Amino acid sequence: MITLGIDPGTRRIGYGIVRKEGNDVSFIAAGLLDIKSADDISALYETKKELDKLIKKYKPVRMGVEKLYFVKNQKTAVAVAQARGVILLSAREHGLPIKEYNPNEIKSGITGYGFADKKAVLKMVQLILGKHDLKVIDDASDALAIAIITAGERII
């Protein structure tokens, strides 16, 4: 079973793709969607286009997405909410079941501690996937954590 995890943002949208076979979870891909546009509407279009390409290429059977959480910057929250809307639309158009998690659920599911830092999340993702040399940007390691959890792999 191939699972796609998405860590939404405005221009930095992380993705992680894993395969689960029995109790084993393996790494397929991770990175950032290729969003180059400076204006918001074009960036939303690119988000949809890039995510559609990713889904067609890897053919995941379900997708996990981080829920929106912002308490300080409402302008940023609105922009990320718009990107999340495009991401959810793309998943629905491809018939993917969607699971959503708040950041504490993701951290807890991967590390056993809901307030773990980015380094701890990456370390556990590396351990779970057996890729100790995996070097990815935070958004991609968070997306891999989401994919792992969505695939049903809860380690702690």
Side-chain angles (χ1 to χ4, degrees), residues 1-5 16-30 57-62 125 128-131 143-153:
M1 166 180 66
I2 295 175
T3 302
L4 169 62
I17 304 169
V18 298
R19 177 186 316 272
K20 182 171 186 200
E21 296 177 26
N23 291 327
D24 295 328
V25 179
S26 58
F27 173 84
I28 295 178
K57 180 177 180 178
Y58 292 104
K59 299 175 179 36
V61 297
R62 59 184 171 168
V125 164
I128 292 165
L129 297 176
K131 292 193 65 70
L144 282 167
I146 294 164
I148 292 165
I149 292 168
T150 305
E153 185 66 20

Side-chain angles (χ1 to χ4, degrees), residues 13-118:
I13 299 170
Y15 70 87
I17 304 169
V18 298
R19 177 186 316 272
K20 182 171 186 200
E21 296 177 26
N23 291 327
D24 295 328
V25 179
S26 58
F27 173 84
I28 295 178
L32 297 177
L33 295 183
D34 190 21
I35 312 298
K36 294 182 177 136
S37 295
D39 73 280
D40 292 341
I41 294 173
S42 295
L44 291 172
Y45 173 75
E46 284 184 38
T47 297
K48 173 88 168 65
K49 191 172 100 180
E50 291 299 310
L51 188 54
D52 286 346
K53 280 199 287 189
L54 203 61
I55 292 169
K56 286 177 186 171
K57 180 177 180 178
Y58 292 104
K59 299 175 179 36
V61 297
R62 59 184 171 168
M63 184 170 87
V65 181
E66 184 174 273
K67 288 181 182 176
L68 184 63
Y69 74 101
F70 281 94
V71 289
K72 293 181 181 176
N73 190 337
Q74 288 183 350
K75 184 178 179 183
T76 303
V78 170
V80 175
Q82 289 174 332
R84 269 188 97 254
V86 169
I87 290 163
L88 296 173
L89 171 65
S90 180
R92 184 58 64 204
E93 284 181 346
H94 289 276
L96 295 178
I98 303 162
K99 294 194 172 215
E100 298 178 80
Y101 307 93
N102 69 46
N104 294 63
E105 290 174 314
I106 297 163
K107 293 172 185 177
S108 181
I110 288 295
T111 69
Y113 178 60
F115 296 97
D117 63 15
K118 299 274 187 188

